[in-house]
Amino acid sequence: MWLADKWVDYELLDCSDGEKLERWGGVVLVRPDPQAIWRTPKEHSGWHDPDARYVRSHSGGGEWHSGRAPGNWQVGYGELRFNVSLMNFKHTGLFPEQAVNWEFVSGKIRSASRSISVLNLFAYTGAATLAAAAAGASVCHVDAARGMVSRARENAAASTLEDRPVRWIVDDCAKFVEREIRRGRKYDALIMDPPSYGRGPSGEVWKLEDGLFDFVKLCSMVLSDEPLFVLINSYTTGLSPSTLTYISQSLLGGHSESRELGLPVTVSGLALPCGASCRWVP
């Protein structure tokens, strides 16, 4: 497991019975988490008086029950700053377990001793984009949700990275890659965080387990002749990390390593699994 254990502004205080208790800066939240199937005692005081709690509805979805939580606030990770808020579907605009991948991205770029271009697909609010830009790369940031790209640009400004060479693109990721192939544009590194499930603009259904192989194959066509790395994230619970290794190495050759991502739990000293990542290098 790759453990995101260098946080100061984020802390996973406890997790039990389908929920997790978190500290985001000075704000304490309770959010659902399907991986926390154990029923350990909820003895931490934060369980009883959080600043906000996301409560699922029996009919699907849910809503925030917010008391003291501000509308927006910031947390930092090293030199990066992120705007967080109580968003739809239990989200805050940041996945803290991905910090261990930000370290990987930054380290690979800084040690490359050459200019690096990065394509970040399904790039959400831009944490990986900012890690790459701060390390000196030029980045193409692509997400289909205009609001998420706007939040990413706000995070760039909060991190004083707004002047770095980043292209902010609102587009369907597959269609964008197809156009880049036709344009002959290449990238030294790829980052992708495709959804487990989704619907396209014409109603087409996307399932990660059905579409990932073809999507990685498509993306391989925009890799440069001197690729640095490919990073693939998955939050599909039934997909083994080893599956990501098989897909990447069968398509790209080289070497892949795939592991679960995890967050240390303060109360227990254990780690909460939070999806998986595959890191490919030539």
Side-chain angles (χ1 to χ4, degrees):
M1 178 181 281
W2 286 312
L3 201 61
D5 58 358
K6 294 182 173 62
W7 274 101
V8 175
D9 276 3
Y10 173 85
E11 183 179 8
L12 179 52
L13 301 167
D14 196 10
C15 50
S16 177
D17 198 20
E19 292 184 311
K20 55 189 175 186
L21 176 70
E22 306 167 293
R23 177 184 61 80
W24 294 80
V27 180
V28 175
L29 305 180
V30 174
R31 296 193 293 159
D33 194 298
Q35 296 283 4
I37 62 173
W38 43 87
R39 293 184 176 86
T40 48
K42 293 182 174 181
E43 296 176 345
H44 193 286
S45 60
W47 285 113
H48 311 297
D49 189 29
D51 295 307
R53 181 189 296 266
Y54 189 89
V55 180
R56 288 199 182 278
S57 168
H58 295 299
S59 58
E63 62 180 0
W64 285 100
H65 292 191
S66 176
R68 299 176 300 275
N72 296 277
W73 69 102
Q74 287 189 352
V75 297
Y77 187 84
E79 61 189 319
L80 306 178
R81 301 292 299 175
F82 305 106
N83 296 289
V84 294
S85 59
L86 307 183
M87 301 170 66
N88 293 335
F89 308 111
K90 77 177 182 179
H91 295 306
T92 63
L94 193 67
F95 292 93
E97 64 275 9
Q98 287 291 333
V100 71
N101 279 332
W102 309 337
E103 298 276 0
F104 167 77
V105 167
S106 177
K108 293 295 290 182
I109 293 168
R110 291 183 192 279
S111 64
S113 65
R114 60 185 171 98
S115 59
I116 298 296
S117 60
V118 177
L119 176 60
N120 188 8
L121 300 168
F122 308 98
Y124 196 48
T125 59
T129 292
L130 301 189
S138 61
V139 187
C140 182
H141 172 111
V142 186
D143 197 282
R146 186 173 300 276
M148 295 301 99
V149 176
S150 295
R151 173 69 70 90
R153 298 188 76 155
E154 292 169 3
N155 287 336
S159 302
T160 64
L161 295 170
E162 63 268 40
D163 294 330
R164 297 298 174 98
V166 179
R167 297 167 61 208
W168 306 100
I169 307 294
V170 180
D171 202 350
D172 176 88
C173 289
K175 289 182 172 59
F176 178 81
V177 171
E178 288 169 353
R179 286 195 294 273
E180 292 291 84
I181 292 169
R182 292 195 294 271
R183 287 187 282 248
R185 187 166 284 154
K186 302 286 186 177
Y187 297 89
D188 301 307
L190 302 179
I191 301 169
M192 61 185 78
D193 197 350
S196 297
Y197 178 86
R199 288 189 178 274
S202 303
E204 61 271 23
V205 175
W206 160 271
K207 290 184 179 179
L208 185 69
E209 57 269 35
D210 296 335
L212 183 61
F213 181 86
D214 288 338
F215 185 73
V216 176
K217 184 177 181 180
L218 177 71
C219 292
S220 70
M221 298 175 69
V222 296
L223 268 179
S224 72
D225 293 335
E226 294 184 84
L228 185 63
F229 67 84
V230 175
L231 174 63
I232 306 171
N233 292 310
S234 167
Y235 285 93
T236 301
T237 55
L239 203 64
S240 164
S242 297
T243 302
L244 302 178
T245 292
Y246 201 103
I247 289 173
S248 60
Q249 283 196 216
S250 62
L251 288 170
L252 304 172
H255 173 76
S256 293
E257 184 177 5
S258 299
R259 299 186 193 178
E260 285 185 304
L261 301 181
L263 286 167
V265 182
T266 300
V267 165
S268 66
L270 301 173
L272 176 70
C274 306
S277 290
C278 173
R279 299 171 178 176
W280 174 90
V281 294

